[in-house]
Amino acid sequence: MAKKKEVERVDINSLSETEKQKRIQAAFETLQEFSPMVSFLDNAMSNVDSFEDTGCYILNALVSGKLRGGFPEARMSLLAAESSTGKTYIALQSAAYAQRAGKQIVIFDSEFAIDAEFATNLGLDTSKIIYFPVKTVEQCKNAVYKFLSNVYDLGLMGQFFIIIDSLGAMISEMDYKRMEKNSDSKDMGSYAQSMKALIKACNNLAGQTQTTIICTNHVYDDPAAMFTKLVKPMPGGKAVRYLPTTLVQLSANNVKEGDKDRKIEEKAAAGSHGEVGIEVRGLTVKNRICKPLIQGNMFISFENGLSKYYGLLDLALELGALKNVGVGVMEKIIKEMKKKHKN
């Protein structure tokens, strides 16, 4: 067996700065043999410097800390809420902005709740959207892994925007096998393990392929808890909560025509019992981009969709931006912004 060639050891302090840096670079090149993505931190793939607009300034601020930000690109974000709270709507509207920016949209749907008419009304070109009906967690995990691995091999970095709607509606392969055997035995952790693998795959491959992934999930009240918790539990295990870059929990209340507190200038449709939309409260349960546990209100109109400007006045008051301006003046400014946006 050939002996390994010994490297001459020298006192590092006796080397010139040029020779020292040359040796340091040679050491770094060893890491690059294992991964072509090795780089200095100032140019690393872990840096987030671009965002996907949500179409709502308040939601942009919640998830990125910037009114003109949005969901972080090349990361996985999660919207968690009870039914009829707007999580699918928000995910699709973000996809519409991404599509207009040139991104290719892929939807993994386990609820069969996203149809062409719904997407078209939000401004999406459905002829250019890939729709994947999901049966099980394992199927979704394997499909996402193989798809994004192929995206990486083809060099299609930053070209895709993925929606997974929803995590909570998926079941495991093991559950299907139990049904085939008419078995009522309980799940012993296979669902949580598969879900954890799916979330890990999304989290890792989103960064490697520069793909934005938006997942939705359900929340529920803990029946064993004495008091209602601010952060509600979700199906899928702890990984669903801890691995996403941003996790926004949503809750909603119906808004009626003429609501003076919310100052909504909307007319109720016939037969709607006076409801004109829903006010959605967002809470950032987790955020690696900016401060977590920030709350903000949004408004989804049944007629006009997600408001771009709703909640800005409350945010400005909270930040102390209206001390010298006055609330009435700020309301006029926001109205002028809306007019310019429509034009």
Side-chain angles (χ1 to χ4, degrees):
M1 183 176 179
K3 290 184 178 181
K4 184 178 179 181
K5 184 179 179 181
E6 292 187 7
V7 179
E8 181 184 355
R9 300 188 181 217
V10 296
D11 182 1
I12 190 70
N13 296 319
S14 67
L15 298 175
S16 66
E17 186 62 27
T18 301
E19 179 62 25
K20 181 180 176 181
Q21 291 301 321
K22 183 179 178 181
R23 293 194 177 211
I24 290 174
Q25 183 60 37
F28 285 158
E29 288 174 357
T30 304
L31 296 176
Q32 291 174 332
E33 293 175 7
F34 290 91
S35 172
M37 291 180 284
V38 173
S39 66
F40 288 101
L41 185 57
D42 62 350
N43 194 36
M45 296 180 72
S46 60
N47 298 325
V48 177
D49 50 22
S50 54
F51 303 89
E52 305 281 6
D53 192 357
T54 67
C56 173
Y57 284 133
I58 289 298
L59 184 54
N60 285 349
L62 288 179
V63 295
S64 67
K66 304 175 182 180
L67 292 177
R68 297 190 181 277
F71 290 118
E73 286 189 355
R75 296 293 182 272
M76 180 183 68
S77 297
L78 178 63
L79 297 170
E82 295 179 353
S83 179
S84 302
T85 313
K87 53 188 183 294
T88 302
Y89 186 103
I90 291 170
L92 282 175
Q93 177 154 304
S94 298
Y97 278 85
Q99 189 180 62
R100 287 196 284 272
K103 298 288 182 71
Q104 307 299 313
I105 312 300
V106 181
I107 297 174
F108 292 87
D109 185 6
S110 64
E111 297 186 350
F112 295 88
I114 300 175
D115 58 40
E117 183 178 0
F118 181 23
T120 300
N121 289 339
L122 289 176
L124 283 155
D125 182 351
T126 57
S127 68
K128 296 180 180 178
I129 296 176
I130 299 299
Y131 177 85
F132 187 108
V134 174
K135 183 179 180 182
T136 65
V137 183
E138 290 84 358
Q139 181 198 44
C140 186
K141 174 195 66 176
N142 294 335
V144 169
Y145 170 76
K146 290 183 178 179
F147 173 69
L148 290 181
S149 294
N150 199 30
V151 166
Y152 179 81
D153 291 340
L154 294 171
L156 297 172
M157 313 306 182
Q159 298 300 305
F160 293 91
F161 183 105
I162 293 177
I163 293 175
I164 302 178
D165 185 38
S166 70
L167 301 177
M170 297 183 198
I171 64 174
S172 67
E173 295 281 2
M174 188 64 71
D175 280 327
Y176 268 112
K177 291 179 181 179
R178 292 191 186 99
M179 292 180 207
E180 291 172 357
K181 297 178 180 179
N182 293 321
S183 172
D184 293 327
S185 60
K186 295 182 178 180
D187 186 287
M188 300 303 291
S190 62
Y191 172 77
Q193 290 174 1
S194 298
M195 186 61 69
K196 183 178 181 179
L198 169 60
I199 298 300
K200 281 186 173 182
C202 288
N203 203 38
N204 184 272
L205 292 171
Q208 290 191 44
T209 62
Q210 300 295 285
T211 299
T212 304
I213 301 178
I214 309 297
C215 299
T216 67
N217 201 5
H218 306 148
V219 298
Y220 56 88
D221 292 317
D222 185 354
M226 184 177 294
F227 303 102
T228 302
K229 295 181 179 179
L230 177 64
V231 179
K232 296 186 176 183
M234 296 181 291
K238 293 182 179 180
V240 176
R241 176 177 173 181
Y242 296 128
L243 287 178
T245 297
T246 59
L247 168 54
V248 182
Q249 180 178 288
L250 306 174
S251 58
N253 291 305
N254 290 342
V255 177
K256 291 196 173 184
E257 180 181 340
D259 191 314
K260 294 182 180 179
D261 293 332
R262 297 182 176 91
K263 299 180 180 179
I264 301 295
E265 299 176 359
E266 300 268 347
K267 295 294 182 181
S272 64
H273 302 287
E275 282 87 5
V276 294
I278 57 174
E279 183 182 59
V280 180
R281 178 175 269 297
L283 168 68
T284 51
V285 175
K286 180 195 172 184
N287 201 329
R288 292 177 181 167
I289 307 300
C290 60
K291 292 181 180 179
L293 299 176
I294 299 174
Q295 300 184 72
N297 293 330
M298 300 159 272
F299 177 66
I300 299 179
S301 165
F302 295 150
E303 180 68 24
N304 301 309
L306 181 62
S307 170
K308 194 175 187 70
Y309 303 97
Y310 187 85
L312 283 178
L313 181 58
D314 291 336
L315 179 64
L317 285 168
E318 186 176 341
L319 296 177
L322 299 184
K323 289 181 179 179
N324 298 321
V325 178
V327 175
V329 175
M330 188 62 186
E331 287 179 347
K332 292 180 180 179
I333 292 173
I334 292 176
K335 284 183 179 180
E336 288 300 318
M337 290 172 66
K338 289 180 179 180
K339 288 180 182 178
K340 290 182 180 180
H341 178 69
K342 288 181 180 179
N343 295 332

